Amino acid sequence: MTITAATAPEVDPTKPPPAEYLPDYEQFVTEDDAPVDNFFSEKQQRLLTEPLYSARMAERLGRPLLAAANVGVFYGEGQPAIVPDALVSLDVELAADLWPKANRSYFIWRFGKPPDAVVEIVSNREGGELGSKRERYAQLGVAYYVVFDPQRLLGEEALRCYELRGRTYAPCAENWLGDIGLGVRLWDGEYEGVKAVWLRWCDREGNVIPTGAELAEAERQRAEAERARAERLAARLRALGIDPDAGEI
């Protein structure tokens, strides 16, 4: 069937394109099973995704949120994916069934937008993080681009944060990604048994978005403090000759 301007259906930007406009997804290599990451990068990727779910950032921001690590972003038929170490996209949701080929990766035309932010972790000088990758993300319209260079292989700065202005990137003010309500900062601490300087998401005041383990530890400490307070109160009551276990006081 030939589609002309007169016969083309009206496009609803909130819905996937009609089937006749979609490519054959079998042509896309959504995973090649090639091991490419080192231990530090693998942990860092998880630290950039898991907290956003554990801390319920979608609820805090009041917007659907997708965070993923090492997932291909496809931008055109016949084009290979670009694979950021981590990405964040707001106002989008994963399909209920992730196994169909069309649901396995971030196809920009299916989500209706590029990711809002991508993060690259520098592990060598050949990755093009400040060259070809930065240019490609700008071309795709990714609003924020973060480069974490823990070994300072690309210069003196360990953290670079860029925001899209027109068609090029400029440094973010105070490493704050205003349109998505998140910031980035360096954090010197222990994560999964490894003491290092890590890249963390943070709020406007610079407080890191907590991991699930950190939330559990904070709750444990809160419960312990509450228990200690109750024990002190009971001790004072006993000193006054009042039995705190005798019912209502």
Side-chain angles (χ1 to χ4, degrees), residues 175-235:
N175 294 331
W176 179 247
L177 289 61
D179 288 343
I180 63 174
L182 288 169
V184 287
R185 55 162 290 191
L186 299 179
W187 177 77
D188 189 349
E190 184 174 315
Y191 176 62
E192 295 186 346
V194 177
K195 182 74 166 59
V197 175
W198 304 92
L199 178 64
R200 299 285 299 265
W201 297 110
C202 64
D203 63 17
R204 197 67 179 88
E205 287 69 45
N207 303 305
V208 297
I209 306 303
T211 65
E214 289 169 339
L215 287 170
E217 175 60 18
E219 176 58 25
R220 186 195 67 78
Q221 292 181 9
R222 186 204 63 78
E224 182 61 31
E226 180 63 22
R227 194 159 43 245
R229 188 196 69 81
E231 290 174 356
R232 289 195 299 271
L233 175 59

Side-chain angles (χ1 to χ4, degrees), residues 8-240:
E10 184 177 347
V11 175
D12 182 348
T14 66
K15 297 179 180 179
E20 59 266 30
Y21 293 106
L22 296 176
D24 176 10
Y25 286 98
E26 293 305 315
Q27 70 174 299
F28 297 106
V29 180
T30 55
E31 55 274 313
D32 60 12
D33 299 320
V36 294
D37 287 323
N38 54 69
F39 286 125
F40 180 88
S41 293
E42 187 273 335
K43 289 183 179 295
Q44 177 64 84
Q45 289 171 358
R46 187 160 52 258
L47 186 54
L48 290 170
T49 55
E50 182 267 339
L52 296 182
Y53 291 105
S54 294
R56 301 179 181 273
M57 286 306 299
E59 295 180 15
R60 291 170 60 176
L61 296 172
R63 304 166 67 182
L65 179 147
L66 166 63
N70 209 28
V71 170
V73 176
F74 288 89
Y75 51 90
E77 189 170 2
Q79 300 294 327
I82 186 168
V83 186
D85 287 304
L87 67 83
V88 173
S89 191
L90 296 179
D91 304 318
V92 301
E93 295 180 352
L94 290 175
D97 183 357
L98 297 180
W99 283 118
K101 193 94 169 186
N103 298 340
R104 292 186 185 184
S105 297
Y106 197 106
F107 294 100
I108 288 179
W109 57 90
R110 286 187 63 82
F111 285 98
K113 54 175 285 192
D116 291 288
V118 298
V119 180
E120 292 287 355
I121 304 164
V122 180
S123 56
N124 55 56
R125 293 186 175 88
E126 289 74 47
E129 286 84 3
L130 298 182
S132 59
K133 284 185 178 178
R134 183 169 62 181
E135 293 173 2
R136 178 54 53 83
Y137 288 129
Q139 292 170 355
L140 296 181
V142 175
Y144 298 99
Y145 177 46
V146 178
V147 178
F148 179 37
D149 185 6
Q151 301 176 87
R152 291 177 169 80
L153 298 175
L154 305 182
E156 296 182 0
E157 297 178 73
L159 173 60
R160 297 174 175 87
C161 179
Y162 302 97
E163 62 179 340
L164 195 62
R165 297 179 186 172
R167 297 186 178 183
T168 58
Y169 283 120
C172 299
E174 301 178 344
N175 294 331
W176 179 247
L177 289 61
D179 288 343
I180 63 174
L182 288 169
V184 287
R185 55 162 290 191
L186 299 179
W187 177 77
D188 189 349
E190 184 174 315
Y191 176 62
E192 295 186 346
V194 177
K195 182 74 166 59
V197 175
W198 304 92
L199 178 64
R200 299 285 299 265
W201 297 110
C202 64
D203 63 17
R204 197 67 179 88
E205 287 69 45
N207 303 305
V208 297
I209 306 303
T211 65
E214 289 169 339
L215 287 170
E217 175 60 18
E219 176 58 25
R220 186 195 67 78
Q221 292 181 9
R222 186 204 63 78
E224 182 61 31
E226 180 63 22
R227 194 159 43 245
R229 188 196 69 81
E231 290 174 356
R232 289 195 299 271
L233 175 59
R236 288 198 294 269
L237 291 173
R238 291 188 184 97
L240 295 172

